[in-house]
Amino acid sequence: MWSVYKRGVHVSRTLYLWVGAVPNHVVLISLCARLGAVPNHVVLISLCARLGAGTTRLCAGIVSVAKPISIECKMADYSNSLYEHLEEETGVKTGYVKTGSLCLAQNQDRFLSLKRLASRLNVMGIPWDAVVSPPDVNHALATAAARHGVQIHERTTVNHVMMEKGHVTAVETDRGAIECEYFVNCAGQWAYELGQASETKVSVPLHGCEHFYLLSKPLPEPLQPSTPVVMDMDGRIYVRAWQGGVLSGGFEKNPKPIFTEGRNQLEIQTMQEDWDHFEPMLSALLRRMPELEVCEIQQLVNCPESFTPDMRCLMGETPGVHGYFVLAGMNASGLAFAGGAGKYLAEWMTYGYPTANVWPLDIKRFGNLQSSRTFLRHRVMEVMPLLYNLKVPRWDFQTGRQLRTSPLYDRLDTQGARWMEKHGFERAKYFIPAGKDLLSLDASKTFYKPDWFDIVGAEVKCCKEAVCVIDMSSFTKFELTSTDDQALALLQHLCANDLDVPVGHIVHTGMLNERGGYENDCSVVRVKKNSFFIISPTDQQVHCWSWLKKHMPDDPQLHLEDVSWKYTALNLIGPRAMDVLGELSYVSMTPEHFPSLFCKEMSVGYANGIRVMSMTHTGEPGFMLYIPIEYALHVYNEVMSVGQKYGIRNAGYYALRSLRIEKFFAFWGQDLDPFTTPLECGREFRVKFDTDIDFLGRASLLHQRQEGVSRRFIMLVLEDHDTELDLWPWWGEPIYRNGELCGTTTSSAYSYTLERHVCLGFVSPPSLDGSPAAVTPDFINRGDYEVDIAGQRYPAKAKLYPFSSLFAQQRRRKDEMELSNFQGK
Amino acid sequence: MVPPLCFQHLKQYWAMYRLRLIRKSCLTQIKLLGFDTRLCHSSRPPVDLIGINYPAETINGRKYRDNHQTSQMPLSKINHILKANEYSYKVNGYDGRNSVNSILGLDSNILASNALNEDRRSAATCLQSRGMLLGVFDGHAGYACAQAVSERLFYYIAVALLPVKTLMDIEDAVENERPVLPMLQWHKHPNDHTSRDSGKLYFNSLRTYWQERIDLEEDEDRDIQMALMNAFKRLDNDISLEAQVDFGVPFSHFTPLRVALSGCTACVVHVDGDDLHVANLGDSRAVLGVQEENGTWSAHTISNDHNAQNADELQRVLSEHPALEHKTVVKHDRLLGLLMPFRGFGDMKFKWSGEMLNRVYETRPDILSANEFKMLPPNYHTPPYLIAEPEVTIHTLRPKDKFLIMATDGLWELMHRQTVVQVIGEHLTGLHWQKPVSGLSFTLGQMHRLLQERKSRAIFALEDENSATHLIRHALGSDGFGTVDPRRLSNMLSLPQDLARMYRDDITIVVIHLNSANM
């Protein structure tokens, strides 16, 4: 048997090896079937048990397309159509029935959330949910895979993955080693363990929870297979027809985490039914369908599902090891995602990137810091109930908090800070003034005007009129240095904007991929001739690191360091920021002396060596202070005490958000993604077209500039929207132009200056002949735009530029550049 | 500091006895009225409790009611009070020492009547011999004696049980200052008081005991019954001797003297395999919970109370004193008209000769100033009146013996033993409800009803995982119909310090869960 594998290695150029240890065989096989179709590749699957012995065999078989984020909808939609045609392709029955599904609402808030979902689903056309028989789908996919030459080896356990110089080289199984170039960790529940078992540990942050569903015997009058799936999220249950009876499960409030200590703890086969645990769901079921009372029980099935820290699945190449891919953590939607996830990952492995924006699912959004077993155990206990919880805007996870904090955390907390978390880092949302009723503030989360409205309003006003301090320490900070000009060369290659600026200049730039899409959007400071300070969004810590590493030449003279933890960042926003800093440093901070987008190392209070940068990430005047952490408290205290007479106060991220959105500042991860180019969001001025440096993505951009963009980032100011009474926009709302669907929003905020809601989003004109049409100024300016919030359309004014200030700033910057060039020489 | 403390002890001592008298008469009245004690296991009618918390407010009915509603304790506080001293110990299943574990675990709890708790409990595993020792101790006239006995008695029993060979090893180790093998593994609650003084003295007395045993070389196959008897008597003797040495030395510690002049009862159980020995001294009690084949619970008392209610015991006391004294030895159901238990540790004022007692009072007036005990007890002619010889009962555990309850009289005054067994038995079966069910051949509706029933019972049972706590909750809060009335419970727990003793004595309970499967 083994020699066959070996020969396989020699014959083929590339060997993909898939590993699915136990669960989620459907996911696995669907990928392989897809990959097997790619020529010149040998695909092996090794399974520690028999095919179909995993938990997908047990799963409920509902293919529901109504998912919280659009990439998930796309994946489920693809799976749906894949399963639909699987039977005719392979001749294997899959039990596919288009049933549709009914989502029930027991209260007004749930009804609203369903309406929001419905209006979003309109964007991709109303999908038909379906049910299948999971083992049959598994079998059919395996048949299809085998037809493409995929080899499946059952009862073969992968012990660990071998690597050399950051590349996967071979897989050590209980039946010998197999050389391979790519490896996919598709081991479901055991993916975490398998990740830990390789030479370089791979962090796969997921954790299992027991999941129960009930099978009944056929009803007296058997249920038709086409009976719609019923989801009663308030009752926390789902129900589908199953062999004349029902199959009903749910996501309880008090989940039972399992396998914390790993696989040796308990075998899947011995998992127990727990009726007492199922009681709330049984009650909910009988309350909804009282006639089931007389129906006899067939079985209570316990099939553990794996959950991730943010309710989204994990896919993609791991940051540390080239060729090591992961596809796991399906959060109980394994079957619905399998087809689509397989498709995208197969594309990813074959072409280097998938054909859709999968950043929300990219494993690089997590790092080692989410790998603690205790953290995962606690977090999944919160995540699993959340699947059926009402998701109101701006909810935060409550578990696994206070992991990374700024040195000022306690100070801010005692001043009334309310916290949110990003990539494990605590950030203040807003500050509750002394004397406000805290309870009522925390309790009310709503689709309407939130209770913090006035608080944030006051913070924004202070930013506009006086000065505010925002602790922005969570941002990712890298330092790239070299002995010669290697650092500059690398950045010139990776960044769209020109980095060859005098020392002390700050450059906002995207890091683009081949297609011209944003892999990162960052601010780069040239602190020395060959030393750059790179500031990226918080959740870029792993992704940006691996992007830089991937493109870095193997040169010992070039050094990249993650210095995120070394600096505390304070953002002083407001017209009086310069007065505060001036007083603390005895240096004039007026724009004449300290122009915009400059960085100087100077002293603040007693502390020396503070990096002061004239930018605020909001478009407002002010400064960012990058303070070595041991000075953080001192500088903060000095700033606050000196700032007293200028009316200084703390502010949080909500104020920052409102400010940046009204200034039309796009944020990576929310508005920008690897499929958005600078041209599509009006950032041509940040691309060095005027030089002949061949940066990554240049060709695509030039091509796009010629063809014109087919989608455009715009700003929509809601008209006729009552902030007090109407539903607030969030993100993901459909945008209509002259009654026709033309895009979706990506973020929104209330602008306290305009006293209106501002939504940011992308629109594209309808294609006439199948090829995408270019956006024209008329398309933006001469259209009646509407934003659909939960089925209600609100007229909006579309704008390409917020105020003239953007131009003014750009012009000023150019002037300053020339001036400083003059001074420098 | 010390004299007023002693004075207070004695005051309470008197108060307690006066009150017990009141309570006893109350109980008889209820019995006369035909109350079923199983239904109403409190010794007083439920109604009179409502008002007791607010004696001053009863004049104004309106105010009384408002006040009452606002001052009811929240459940969390009730639970906090009840659970403050609860202790559970699960016997490790892999314990090789007791090849067959006849004990699954134990639950214990102490609820003091007021701030000064005079009850003690002990639990320990014998490390050098086999078996487990458990005991409850009800102190009076202060806690000193109960404290000393609870700490010392098990060592005496351990020494009495050990073969001479082992004792010689120990002696050898002590002599050469080598580490000594521990005899006992204690199972203690962190709140259980530990005395710090007198350790040296206690150790020396214990050492003398084993040295004597080595000298006598009495290594014939000692039975546990004799060992228990000897250990009890030896300890009481040591308490007496230590005090006599003590009061001869001016400015010495007061502890040995205080131990000797206060007293305590003791109920100790030794379990080894299916052999159960109960050594009882005084009016605490050990009761077995027996589950009959039809599932009903019955109480099987395996110790006799040593008080006036026990005719045999009364007969014993009378027989030990001349006929002339028969009218005075036991008066108002009390020894010499003063002491309710007829056996006990300490209480040297009922043991020492009148001569010696007078000497104590003369040489150490400081510890006894201003109380009624300056003089000898009335009619003190032929001491000792009180003995420390336990009555040892032997029982062989049967599969139907599910648990053993030991408790001080604080519990038995409030609840009938049958009710006690009933409550614990139902609590245990309630906990068994939580074991998984399997849903074969049920309809959804049937399963639903079953689960809901289980859930409601589980909530009821889950409030107390500790059976002893559960029992206290019932003892104090029973509404007379088998369920706990939170208002009544709250009233019982919020009694003012000085009133509490009128309604409840200190309560100490140890529940031993027996492993009937292994018998």
Side-chain angles (χ1 to χ4, degrees):
Chain A
M1 278 288 272
W2 248 184
S3 57
V4 179
Y5 293 175
K6 288 284 183 195
R7 217 177 305 133
V9 177
H10 297 305
V11 169
S12 72
R13 266 193 311 115
T14 314
L15 174 70
Y16 290 110
L17 188 99
W18 299 90
V19 168
V22 176
N24 270 331
H25 288 176
V26 176
V27 179
L28 168 76
I29 305 290
S30 98
L31 309 177
C32 294
R34 184 92 198 164
L35 259 194
V38 179
N40 284 336
H41 298 146
V42 173
V43 182
L44 298 182
I45 304 172
S46 100
L47 302 164
C48 84
R50 283 178 312 105
L51 181 66
T55 56
T56 350
R57 168 181 58 112
L58 304 166
C59 88
I62 299 170
V63 186
S64 165
V65 183
K67 297 291 172 193
I69 53 175
S70 74
I71 181 68
E72 290 180 331
C73 288
K74 279 187 202 164
M75 274 166 37
D77 194 38
Y78 178 82
S79 307
N80 198 350
S81 58
L82 175 74
Y83 302 153
E84 188 176 2
H85 302 112
L86 202 55
E87 192 167 332
E88 60 190 70
E89 265 177 42
T90 61
V92 181
K93 283 208 183 315
T94 56
Y96 183 91
V97 184
K98 263 192 179 175
T99 56
S101 58
L102 279 173
C103 291
L104 309 182
Q106 292 189 20
N107 52 52
Q108 193 62 34
D109 275 353
R110 176 70 68 185
F111 189 46
L112 284 175
S113 83
L114 290 179
K115 284 207 276 193
R116 291 182 65 97
L117 186 67
S119 82
R120 272 199 16 231
L121 287 175
N122 277 337
V123 176
M124 48 182 288
I126 306 261
W128 269 96
D129 284 4
V131 296
V132 291
S133 154
D136 296 337
V137 167
N138 204 19
H139 179 57
L141 283 169
T143 310
R147 215 169 274 173
H148 290 301
V150 172
Q151 303 170 30
I152 299 174
H153 294 275
E154 298 179 327
R155 298 186 196 282
T156 308
T157 311
V158 171
N159 293 328
H160 66 269
V161 183
M162 300 201 284
M163 302 158 185
E164 213 172 281
K165 290 181 193 156
H167 279 258
V168 171
T169 54
V171 175
E172 183 78 40
T173 73
D174 58 348
R175 292 158 70 179
I178 311 169
E179 285 177 41
C180 65
E181 202 171 312
Y182 291 92
F183 171 77
V184 180
N185 179 347
C186 202
Q189 305 276 353
W190 319 127
Y192 176 89
E193 263 186 295
L194 187 56
Q196 296 294 306
S198 55
E199 274 177 20
T200 309
K201 284 185 182 173
V202 170
S203 164
V204 186
L206 56 79
H207 193 292
C209 276
E210 291 181 47
H211 173 59
F212 296 90
Y213 63 83
L214 171 84
L215 297 176
S216 82
K217 296 201 169 134
L219 295 177
E221 189 188 328
L223 268 186
Q224 291 308 305
S226 59
T227 313
V229 175
V230 175
M231 281 180 245
D232 179 2
M233 301 208 216
D234 296 304
R236 303 189 158 275
I237 50 160
Y238 58 81
V239 191
R240 64 163 279 199
W242 185 79
Q243 299 186 359
V246 295
L247 180 160
S248 170
F251 298 99
E252 62 273 25
K253 269 191 197 145
N254 52 336
K256 294 166 78 178
I258 192 172
F259 305 132
T260 308
E261 290 158 37
R263 132 163 66 169
N264 49 6
Q265 190 185 14
L266 186 58
E267 275 292 298
I268 289 233
Q269 279 72 16
T270 61
M271 222 119 43
Q272 287 199 343
E273 52 183 25
D274 185 343
W275 277 101
D276 292 301
H277 193 70
F278 193 70
E279 188 273 336
M281 288 170 274
L282 182 59
S283 297
L285 175 67
L286 290 179
R287 182 164 171 243
R288 190 59 47 225
M289 305 175 181
E291 288 184 11
L292 289 179
E293 280 235 344
V294 295
C295 184
E296 253 186 79
I297 293 164
Q298 168 88 26
Q299 198 190 350
L300 183 68
V301 183
N302 180 356
C303 78
E305 294 279 357
S306 49
F307 296 87
T308 58
D310 63 355
M311 261 191 301
R312 300 171 187 169
C313 76
L314 303 169
M315 61 191 286
E317 193 171 16
T318 54
V321 190
H322 189 69
Y324 193 124
F325 283 77
V326 173
L327 182 53
M330 292 292 159
N331 296 294
S333 300
L335 196 77
F337 289 156
K343 171 180 151 178
Y344 289 129
L345 196 66
E347 289 167 353
W348 203 331
M349 295 173 69
T350 321
Y351 310 118
Y353 55 89
T355 53
N357 171 29
V358 294
W359 168 247
L361 314 176
D362 193 332
I363 190 164
K364 290 198 205 68
R365 72 192 186 274
F366 294 119
N368 275 326
L369 73 95
Q370 284 93 355
S371 209
S372 146
R373 235 22 210 160
T374 316
F375 165 76
L376 288 171
R377 185 183 164 92
H378 289 187
R379 177 56 70 81
V380 297
M381 286 173 74
E382 183 182 0
V383 162
M384 180 169 159
L386 263 180
L387 288 177
Y388 274 6
N389 268 10
L390 189 67
K391 278 181 276 292
V392 294
R394 294 165 286 269
W395 51 268
D396 300 301
F397 287 108
Q398 299 301 311
T399 53
R401 295 288 298 268
Q402 289 175 312
L403 178 58
R404 303 167 72 205
T405 55
S406 138
L408 303 176
Y409 179 85
D410 278 352
R411 283 299 307 278
L412 302 181
D413 198 53
T414 51
Q415 293 178 77
R418 286 291 172 273
W419 301 92
M420 63 194 271
E421 170 247 11
K422 186 94 181 197
H423 201 60
F425 210 106
E426 295 291 328
R427 314 201 289 193
K429 294 189 281 193
Y430 46 81
F431 287 78
I432 294 180
K436 274 264 182 184
D437 187 0
L438 302 184
L439 265 182
S440 71
L441 270 168
D442 277 346
S444 56
K445 287 186 169 162
T446 151
F447 291 104
Y448 294 93
K449 184 179 130 179
D451 40 23
W452 42 258
F453 183 80
D454 294 329
I455 294 175
V456 174
E459 288 175 8
V460 167
K461 190 166 187 281
C462 184
C463 287
K464 293 261 180 198
E465 292 168 7
V467 54
C468 276
V469 182
I470 304 182
D471 183 348
M472 312 234 307
S473 306
S474 70
F475 275 16
T476 300
K477 302 170 272 288
F478 293 150
E479 231 161 32
L480 185 70
T481 47
S482 61
T483 46
D484 220 335
D485 63 350
Q486 298 97 324
L488 178 66
L490 175 66
L491 288 179
Q492 285 291 52
H493 174 59
L494 286 179
C495 299
N497 210 342
D498 191 2
L499 267 298
D500 195 6
V501 292
V503 169
H505 273 243
I506 303 169
V507 178
H508 291 311
T509 178
M511 289 188 187
L512 310 182
N513 52 34
E514 282 288 349
R515 291 149 288 144
Y518 279 99
E519 288 295 333
N520 186 10
D521 184 34
C522 52
S523 307
V524 183
V525 187
R526 192 168 193 181
V527 284
K528 285 182 204 145
K529 188 161 182 292
N530 291 317
S531 177
F532 294 86
F533 190 69
I534 306 166
I535 302 156
S536 316
T538 311
D539 49 2
Q540 275 275 359
Q541 194 168 26
V542 180
H543 181 258
C544 179
W545 177 268
S546 76
W547 184 257
L548 286 168
K549 277 282 175 191
K550 188 170 155 188
H551 294 92
M552 242 166 98
D554 192 12
D555 181 353
Q557 311 286 315
L558 184 61
H559 183 66
L560 178 68
E561 191 190 356
D562 185 344
V563 294
S564 303
W565 61 276
K566 283 188 179 173
Y567 291 94
T568 296
L570 288 183
N571 193 351
L572 255 68
I573 303 182
R576 310 310 298 266
M578 59 180 176
D579 300 312
V580 175
L581 272 186
E583 222 171 291
L584 279 170
S585 59
Y586 292 96
V587 171
S588 174
M589 303 297 285
T590 54
E592 293 77 50
H593 295 91
F594 204 131
S596 180
L597 288 176
F598 261 75
C599 169
K600 268 188 211 167
E601 244 178 47
M602 50 190 276
S603 60
V604 177
Y606 297 151
N608 196 16
I610 312 294
R611 281 183 184 161
V612 179
M613 303 178 192
S614 46
M615 63 167 181
T616 59
H617 299 283
T618 56
E620 300 294 327
F623 300 90
M624 285 291 306
L625 309 184
Y626 280 86
I627 310 160
I629 49 168
E630 65 265 39
Y631 299 141
L633 202 57
H634 171 75
V635 172
Y636 176 79
N637 287 341
E638 291 300 308
V639 164
M640 289 310 268
S641 75
V642 167
Q644 290 274 305
K645 60 174 171 282
Y646 302 104
I648 201 165
R649 60 181 291 169
N650 291 301
Y653 266 75
Y654 285 0
L656 186 87
R657 225 179 104 80
S658 167
L659 288 168
R660 70 121 176 135
I661 286 176
E662 76 181 18
K663 284 279 168 69
F664 199 25
F665 272 42
F667 240 54
W668 193 90
Q670 191 136 39
D671 309 308
L672 306 182
D673 60 43
F675 285 82
T676 304
T677 69
L679 305 185
E680 289 163 0
C681 54
R683 289 182 169 195
E684 205 172 332
F685 68 96
R686 286 188 188 166
V687 181
K688 50 191 170 204
F689 283 129
D690 46 355
T691 68
D692 50 7
I693 299 165
D694 184 26
F695 61 91
L696 210 53
R698 180 184 171 104
S700 307
L701 290 187
L702 284 174
H703 179 73
Q704 194 179 37
R705 188 158 73 162
Q706 202 119 43
E707 298 284 309
V709 295
S710 60
R711 61 201 279 267
R712 184 65 165 85
F713 191 51
I714 58 163
M715 174 167 158
L716 292 155
V717 182
L718 292 194
E719 316 262 305
D720 201 18
H721 177 274
D722 190 328
T723 309
E724 298 288 329
L725 301 175
D726 286 329
L727 286 170
W728 274 35
W730 188 6
W731 53 267
E733 289 90 10
I735 303 170
Y736 290 87
R737 180 185 181 270
N738 299 340
E740 252 180 273
L741 182 74
C742 69
T744 48
T745 63
T746 51
S747 55
S748 74
Y750 180 81
S751 161
Y752 292 88
T753 326
L754 303 174
E755 295 181 327
R756 286 215 165 58
H757 265 286
V758 175
C759 302
L760 307 184
F762 286 92
V763 291
S764 43
S767 63
L768 301 170
D769 52 354
S771 62
V775 178
T776 58
D778 273 0
F779 178 75
I780 307 296
N781 297 330
R782 299 211 182 151
D784 292 330
Y785 282 89
E786 287 172 311
V787 174
D788 178 343
I789 306 172
Q792 170 101 25
R793 291 188 194 175
Y794 297 94
K797 187 167 268 172
K799 289 167 93 60
L800 280 174
Y801 306 98
F803 304 107
S804 55
S805 70
L806 201 68
F807 286 130
Q809 203 179 8
Q810 193 189 352
R811 198 157 43 286
R812 196 167 71 219
R813 185 175 162 280
K814 282 254 191 246
D815 297 345
E816 283 153 7
M817 286 263 285
E818 277 147 29
L819 186 68
S820 65
N821 283 346
F822 176 72
Q823 282 170 334
K825 279 159 194 168
Chain B
M1 273 307 284
V2 177
L5 199 68
C6 278
F7 166 62
Q8 225 172 9
H9 291 182
L10 293 164
K11 247 177 80 184
Q12 275 166 358
Y13 185 52
W14 270 114
M16 187 171 80
Y17 284 169
R18 274 203 305 274
L19 285 163
R20 285 195 183 170
L21 201 65
I22 301 167
R23 264 188 301 194
K24 285 281 142 69
S25 60
C26 201
L27 187 64
T28 28
Q29 274 175 10
I30 294 163
K31 277 180 183 155
L32 285 174
L33 286 168
F35 271 74
D36 182 355
T37 38
R38 267 190 60 188
L39 278 175
C40 174
H41 50 64
S42 164
S43 60
R44 37 191 53 253
V47 271
D48 68 353
L49 253 170
I50 309 298
I52 53 170
N53 206 2
Y54 317 98
E57 251 94 45
T58 41
I59 313 149
N60 182 335
R62 173 86 192 142
K63 193 183 171 195
Y64 150 72
R65 216 165 58 201
D66 284 353
N67 210 333
H68 175 245
Q69 277 162 356
T70 51
S71 71
Q72 176 161 354
M73 250 189 254
L75 191 63
S76 59
K77 195 175 174 204
I78 291 179
N79 283 341
H80 180 76
I81 296 174
L82 290 181
K83 290 172 185 238
N85 288 317
E86 72 175 16
Y87 176 79
S88 288
Y89 172 71
K90 293 248 179 305
V91 174
N92 188 348
Y94 309 107
D95 192 350
R97 210 173 304 108
N98 306 322
S99 51
V100 178
N101 273 325
S102 46
I103 295 183
L104 290 173
L106 67 98
D107 292 327
S108 73
N109 202 348
I110 294 187
L111 182 72
S113 155
N114 53 27
L116 199 80
N117 170 37
E118 294 180 344
D119 275 9
R120 291 291 184 270
R121 61 183 156 177
S122 294
T125 307
C126 300
L127 294 176
Q128 305 299 324
S129 56
R130 309 188 329 148
M132 232 177 132
L133 284 164
L134 305 118
V136 294
F137 309 92
D138 182 358
H140 45 256
Y143 61 81
C145 186
Q147 178 63 37
V149 171
S150 73
E151 286 180 291
R152 302 176 71 185
L153 181 58
F154 288 6
Y155 281 111
Y156 278 74
I157 296 173
V159 166
L161 284 170
L162 286 180
V164 171
K165 174 80 184 59
T166 318
L167 292 175
M168 284 164 82
D169 290 346
I170 294 173
E171 171 61 24
D172 191 49
V174 174
E175 185 67 36
N176 297 310
E177 293 180 6
R178 279 189 286 113
V180 183
L181 293 173
M183 288 188 219
L184 297 172
Q185 180 197 354
W186 291 96
H187 310 301
K188 271 192 173 180
H189 188 277
N191 285 2
D192 283 352
H193 183 73
T194 317
S195 64
R196 283 185 189 80
D197 41 4
S198 311
K200 183 86 181 143
L201 180 69
Y202 291 172
F203 176 77
N204 285 338
S205 299
L206 184 69
R207 190 177 173 190
T208 315
Y209 179 35
W210 79 57
Q211 282 171 339
E212 274 175 32
R213 276 207 55 209
I214 293 170
D215 289 346
L216 290 171
E217 283 190 55
E218 39 176 22
D219 207 15
E220 75 276 20
D221 197 25
R222 291 169 61 86
D223 67 12
I224 297 171
Q225 189 174 9
M226 280 309 292
L228 288 168
M229 293 267 231
N230 288 338
F232 271 64
K233 287 193 285 187
R234 176 75 190 201
L235 175 59
D236 195 54
N237 198 37
D238 282 353
I239 289 172
S240 166
L241 289 176
E242 286 156 11
Q244 290 175 39
V245 171
D246 195 45
F247 80 72
V249 184
F251 311 116
S252 67
H253 279 328
F254 295 112
T255 313
L257 201 52
R258 248 194 278 153
V259 169
L261 290 176
S262 58
C264 84
T265 72
C267 183
V268 171
V269 166
H270 179 264
V271 192
D272 179 14
D274 50 7
D275 288 330
L276 178 74
H277 287 81
V278 184
N280 190 37
L281 189 73
D283 53 5
S284 293
R285 196 185 287 170
V287 173
L288 265 178
V290 182
Q291 191 170 29
E292 306 296 347
E293 269 170 28
N294 60 9
T296 58
W297 292 97
S298 63
H300 176 63
T301 309
I302 47 171
S303 70
N304 297 314
D305 298 354
H306 300 134
N307 57 21
Q309 272 71 47
N310 178 347
D312 292 346
E313 182 66 6
L314 187 63
Q315 198 49 52
R316 176 193 68 79
V317 173
L318 294 179
S319 72
E320 285 174 2
H321 298 278
L324 265 176
E325 289 188 55
H326 278 193
K327 286 237 163 75
T328 55
V329 170
V330 177
K331 227 159 107 181
H332 306 305
D333 285 352
R334 284 153 195 271
L335 210 55
L336 298 178
L338 294 170
L339 195 61
M340 271 177 68
F342 285 3
R343 303 190 193 190
F345 280 108
D347 273 330
M348 291 305 161
K349 49 199 169 287
F350 296 93
K351 289 175 180 165
W352 284 343
S353 65
E355 210 171 42
M356 181 136 71
L357 283 173
N358 279 325
R359 225 173 78 225
V360 176
Y361 300 148
E362 278 158 28
T363 49
R364 301 301 285 268
D366 45 339
I367 55 163
L368 293 165
S369 58
N371 68 66
E372 296 112 308
F373 271 124
K374 248 182 188 165
M375 284 167 291
L376 293 182
N379 308 307
Y380 198 74
H381 304 301
T382 52
Y385 287 88
L386 188 69
I387 61 165
E389 181 181 310
E391 187 177 356
V392 179
T393 323
I394 304 171
H395 178 83
T396 306
L397 291 173
R398 306 156 294 179
K400 61 179 180 176
D401 299 331
K402 301 293 181 192
F403 53 87
L404 175 69
I405 304 153
M406 306 162 71
T408 54
D409 59 345
L411 174 73
W412 306 114
E413 281 163 6
L414 293 175
M415 271 172 108
H416 189 269
R417 59 198 165 100
Q418 176 61 36
T419 323
V420 167
V421 168
Q422 198 85 28
V423 165
I424 301 258
E426 278 170 14
H427 182 235
L428 289 179
T429 39
L431 287 179
H432 291 159
W433 273 92
Q434 289 161 351
K435 281 188 183 165
V437 288
S438 180
L440 291 172
S441 71
F442 275 62
T443 69
L444 291 181
Q446 283 168 334
M447 181 54 98
H448 185 225
R449 281 185 291 277
L450 174 68
L451 292 177
Q452 294 223 305
E453 163 82 9
R454 281 164 61 89
K455 194 166 97 175
S456 63
R457 297 196 66 147
I459 287 168
F460 183 64
L462 262 183
E463 199 148 39
D464 296 312
E465 274 175 56
N466 185 306
S467 318
T469 312
H470 186 68
L471 199 51
I472 293 180
R473 196 186 293 275
H474 265 265
L476 299 184
S478 173
D479 60 358
F481 301 98
T483 44
V484 174
D485 174 6
R487 210 171 46 159
R488 199 181 152 78
L489 189 56
S490 145
N491 284 340
M492 270 295 226
L493 290 175
S494 53
L495 292 169
Q497 293 272 316
D498 46 338
L499 274 176
R501 266 271 142 92
M502 296 178 71
Y503 294 91
R504 54 185 175 92
D505 192 0
D506 296 337
I507 300 174
T508 302
I509 300 172
V510 177
V511 180
I512 303 155
H513 301 288
L514 299 168
N515 189 2
S516 49
N518 271 340
M519 286 166 208

